[in-house]
Amino acid sequence: MKAAIDALGDPQRAISSAGFFKTGPGQYGEGDRFVGVTVPAQRRVAREFRGLDRDGISTLLDSDVHEHRLTGLFLLRSGFEKAQTSEDRQAWVAFYLQAVFDGRVNNWDLVDSSAEYILGASLVGGDHAALLDLAAEEDLWRRRVAIIATAAFIKSGDAAPILDLAPRVLDDHRDLIQKAVGWMLREMGKRVDRALLLDFLEAHAAQMGRTALSYATEHLEREQRAHYRGLR
């Protein structure tokens, strides 16, 4: 499977991707390697190898090549979604969380393509305490996983997890956390109840970073956006 992915590589795309995903010294993706394969192409490879077991997926996730890990996550999601029993479903979730804690889900596209659809989906309709525990971690990617996982609740009409989690991470001014929390708050206002967003902003806009506030208020009227900026 690695060979199938590598065969689709484009050296120029690999260079471009390495810059886009901030792989330079001191950047959030430092040391990540790319072979230059598009996401649609990776999805096609994942379909060809659908049904790969957790041992095979683990080998992909352990690779230092970004596209191997992303394709592995596509397969992990597929395994979770096709699980026939609650025990197997939870085994896939535990496997995913182990990958998160092992540092294998370690760029924003890896998080965003998996957290909602695996961890978030497994918790909808139940307790979201696991997300609060994950958000309490200082690690950038674990915290972003927790935030993005709330999207599954938001799409089901439940705003409680993001409203509970967001105040706990507003003081984290790392760009990828600011964008994630602002994005989820915006989605809550759009998909669940705009009044909940406005109430949150009245209470917390003064604490929010510029990026989070900009994302959260993107769909509001100009006067409303100005009002909340004025609270900072």
Side-chain angles (χ1 to χ4, degrees):
M1 185 169 179
K2 288 180 180 179
I5 296 168
D6 294 350
L8 299 171
D10 177 342
Q12 287 303 118
R13 178 178 289 275
I15 293 170
S16 175
S17 294
F20 183 71
F21 286 99
K22 308 297 184 185
T23 63
Q27 296 182 312
Y28 60 72
E30 181 176 358
D32 208 352
R33 288 206 311 117
F34 288 81
V35 292
V37 183
T38 67
V39 171
Q42 290 175 71
R43 291 189 185 278
R44 288 195 294 273
V45 173
R47 285 194 294 270
E48 291 175 19
F49 288 85
R50 187 177 295 153
L52 188 69
D53 63 17
R54 285 189 280 270
D55 285 342
I57 294 172
S58 182
T59 299
L60 291 170
L61 295 177
D62 285 342
S63 173
D64 62 351
V65 174
H66 187 101
E67 292 94 339
H68 295 171
R69 299 198 305 282
L70 181 56
T71 309
L73 288 168
F74 292 153
L75 289 166
L76 202 167
R77 175 184 169 182
S78 176
F80 167 77
E81 292 176 341
K82 293 180 182 303
Q84 297 297 306
T85 66
S86 59
E87 290 80 6
D88 192 30
R89 185 177 166 93
Q90 287 307 309
W92 282 107
V93 175
F95 179 65
Y96 174 68
L97 284 172
Q98 189 62 56
V100 171
F101 276 89
D102 286 346
R104 310 316 297 158
V105 187
N106 58 346
N107 216 310
W108 60 262
D109 63 323
L110 304 178
V111 172
D112 295 1
S113 65
S114 60
E116 170 190 349
Y117 307 105
I118 302 168
L119 180 59
S122 75
L123 297 173
V124 168
D127 193 294
H128 62 270
L131 300 185
L132 302 182
D133 292 341
L134 203 55
E137 298 276 344
E138 287 297 320
D139 179 79
L140 171 65
W141 306 118
R142 297 175 194 176
R143 185 167 286 184
R144 186 171 172 105
V145 164
I147 298 167
I148 299 300
T150 67
F153 288 86
I154 292 167
K155 289 179 180 178
S156 73
D158 185 358
I162 188 59
L163 289 174
D164 201 4
L165 188 155
R168 303 167 189 244
V169 299
L170 289 182
D171 288 336
D172 187 337
H173 287 271
R174 287 176 291 187
D175 190 54
L176 290 176
I177 299 301
Q178 288 278 302
K179 289 179 177 178
V181 72
W183 174 21
M184 291 300 105
L185 288 168
R186 183 188 71 212
E187 290 301 299
M188 177 196 71
K190 184 171 73 172
R191 294 174 178 270
V192 183
D193 189 341
R194 177 165 290 200
L196 290 175
L197 173 60
L198 299 182
D199 289 345
F200 182 91
L201 293 171
E202 286 292 341
H204 297 286
Q207 182 189 358
M208 295 174 71
R210 188 182 302 276
T211 299
L213 187 60
S214 175
Y215 271 60
T217 60
E218 184 178 349
H219 292 161
L220 300 184
E221 299 297 328
R222 180 182 302 176
E223 294 78 9
Q224 290 175 305
R225 295 198 302 271
H227 166 69
Y228 293 118
R229 285 198 301 271
L231 297 180
R232 294 183 70 249

